[in-house]
Amino acid sequence: SVCNAMCALTAEPTMGTGNISAPSYAALLNAAYPQIKAADSAIKVVAFAGTPLSTQDPDSEASIPSVLALANQSMDVLSEHAYDQLTLPDTHFPTQLSGVRAAMKAGGVGDKPIWHSEQGLTGNDDGYGYPGISEADIAQLYIRDVVTAAANGGEKFFWFSQDVSIDYDFSIFYGAYTPRPRLTALNAAASLIEGCSYKASFSQTPNQTFAHLFEGVGRSVAVIWNSNAAYNLSLKVTSAEAAAIQVFDTMGNEMMEGLNPESDTGRITVAGGAERPIFLSADRSKISSLAEVLKTMTVVPLLSVSVDGWQRVPGTNNITVTLTAREDAVRAYLLTHTQQRKQELRSV
């Protein structure tokens, strides 16, 4: 197929009725590559498109190592369709990409780009199809997958698919091109990172916090999430730097409370939900280095708190509210700071 100066030579050659052997697929690449380049040298030839890193029978199936041994000069891009890492981007994605890159290096094409030319998640919790992963979870996974791929050397990422069948749960749309939440999240990430390139990671894996920095002309964007719990993120900044940073949630909504200053500490904090990425977008004309700010990052998980309310006196609008946390200190803090609102809590 040819699209925008790209030519993909077969899709998933080891799947379905294809199951092309390594020698046959290598022969196809070696024969087609010079013909394509002769027609238009700007066209990128994309190889594999879903072929696995390894197979049960590498001599008869076109695995990445077996084909590279025969046709490593007949491609511009290596494409892969591995899906199993998408629900565990923080651990499985780096492992998968590391394996692919190692195989490419061994095959003499370690410098070629990697494209994730088909990646998708299926799930539903809104009555349009079979129950599965919630739309909210798919939305946050879309962002974490795209960012993690970029952080580990993936050059392009293509989500599957745009099918508008009302019960097709891989689609970014419901029927009639009505966007699912996953598309809203993907558009938010694309608009915030547009024009930026991956710069560095500031992740703190012991506490399951992942932070990746992208930089472009005039602005820097950090994408941050914790895969374990809701959290408070704290950064050391000047007042001028704080004013230059905007905070956006997973869906691209600006968090109007923004970064809350901590009194007398020179630090600012922002709260994030478990597994829900947030974006810090900084104006580079007003902040010297978002990278230096991210080096001061501390993350404190937020303890779970349950709120119970019930009618205090039958037949009235008075209610009693009980706040419960897992730690006595947190419970005491919560109760102390709600004393001034007690009357408001009891009357609705």
Side-chain angles (χ1 to χ4, degrees), residues 42-63:
I43 290 179
K44 291 185 181 295
V45 177
V46 183
F48 293 103
T51 305
L53 178 59
S54 62
T55 69
Q56 294 297 316
D57 187 2
D59 292 329
S60 64
E61 295 180 347
S63 67

Side-chain angles (χ1 to χ4, degrees), residues 55-124:
T55 69
Q56 294 297 316
D57 187 2
D59 292 329
S60 64
E61 295 180 347
S63 67
I64 289 174
S66 59
V67 172
L68 288 179
L70 301 170
N72 65 355
Q73 299 303 308
S74 297
M75 66 193 72
D76 300 311
V77 176
L78 187 140
S79 164
E80 67 106 26
H81 291 183
Y83 275 52
D84 60 351
Q85 76 271 17
L86 296 180
T87 56
L88 295 166
D90 309 327
T91 54
H92 285 41
F93 225 133
T95 300
Q96 169 72 10
L97 273 172
S98 177
V100 171
R101 185 60 76 184
M104 292 172 65
K105 186 176 292 186
V109 292
D111 60 337
K112 301 288 186 183
I114 297 175
W115 289 5
H116 300 274
S117 58
E118 181 188 308
Q119 303 280 249
L121 288 166
T122 178
N124 226 306

Side-chain angles (χ1 to χ4, degrees), residues 19-308:
N19 198 22
I20 304 173
S21 68
S24 296
Y25 187 53
L28 173 63
L29 287 169
N30 289 331
Y33 189 84
Q35 299 297 320
I36 294 168
K37 290 297 183 177
D40 187 342
S41 61
I43 290 179
K44 291 185 181 295
V45 177
V46 183
F48 293 103
T51 305
L53 178 59
S54 62
T55 69
Q56 294 297 316
D57 187 2
D59 292 329
S60 64
E61 295 180 347
S63 67
I64 289 174
S66 59
V67 172
L68 288 179
L70 301 170
N72 65 355
Q73 299 303 308
S74 297
M75 66 193 72
D76 300 311
V77 176
L78 187 140
S79 164
E80 67 106 26
H81 291 183
Y83 275 52
D84 60 351
Q85 76 271 17
L86 296 180
T87 56
L88 295 166
D90 309 327
T91 54
H92 285 41
F93 225 133
T95 300
Q96 169 72 10
L97 273 172
S98 177
V100 171
R101 185 60 76 184
M104 292 172 65
K105 186 176 292 186
V109 292
D111 60 337
K112 301 288 186 183
I114 297 175
W115 289 5
H116 300 274
S117 58
E118 181 188 308
Q119 303 280 249
L121 288 166
T122 178
N124 226 306
D125 61 346
D126 49 20
Y128 276 83
Y130 295 109
I133 303 173
S134 73
E135 285 292 340
D137 281 341
I138 291 179
Q140 54 91 359
L141 284 167
Y142 263 35
I143 296 175
R144 291 166 62 198
D145 282 318
V146 168
V147 170
T148 302
N152 286 274
E155 185 180 88
K156 292 184 183 294
F157 205 105
F158 299 83
W159 279 110
F160 177 79
S161 80
Q162 298 185 62
D163 191 302
V164 292
S165 303
I166 199 167
D167 59 348
Y168 190 72
D169 294 338
F170 272 105
S171 181
I172 56 176
F173 296 109
Y174 296 113
Y177 292 99
T178 302
R180 290 178 184 262
R182 64 189 79 171
L183 178 56
T184 303
L186 187 60
N187 284 342
S191 63
L192 287 165
I193 303 176
E194 177 71 26
C196 297
S197 299
Y198 176 74
K199 185 70 174 178
S201 171
F202 296 87
S203 299
Q204 300 176 2
T205 51
N207 65 15
Q208 299 299 299
T209 300
F210 298 87
H212 298 288
L213 177 65
F214 296 79
E215 290 190 346
V217 177
R219 63 195 178 95
S220 301
V221 181
V223 190
I224 303 171
W225 66 87
N226 187 288
S227 61
N228 187 48
Y231 63 94
N232 265 339
L233 170 74
S234 176
L235 301 166
K236 186 174 180 60
V237 295
T238 65
S239 57
E241 288 173 331
I245 299 174
Q246 292 176 281
V247 186
F248 299 88
D249 66 14
T250 302
M251 294 298 185
N253 302 302
E254 186 170 4
M255 299 169 67
M256 300 309 295
E257 70 275 14
L259 295 159
N260 303 308
E262 299 175 2
S263 59
D264 304 322
T265 65
R267 302 185 72 87
I268 50 178
T269 62
V270 61
E275 300 182 330
R276 271 41 183 177
I278 60 172
F279 299 84
L280 305 184
S281 181
D283 183 338
R284 295 181 68 182
S285 69
K286 298 178 181 178
I287 184 169
S288 58
S289 173
L290 186 56
E292 292 302 313
V293 171
L294 291 173
K295 290 178 182 178
T296 72
M297 178 177 69
T298 60
V299 175
V300 179
L302 297 177
L303 299 173
S304 61
V305 177
S306 63
V307 180
D308 298 311

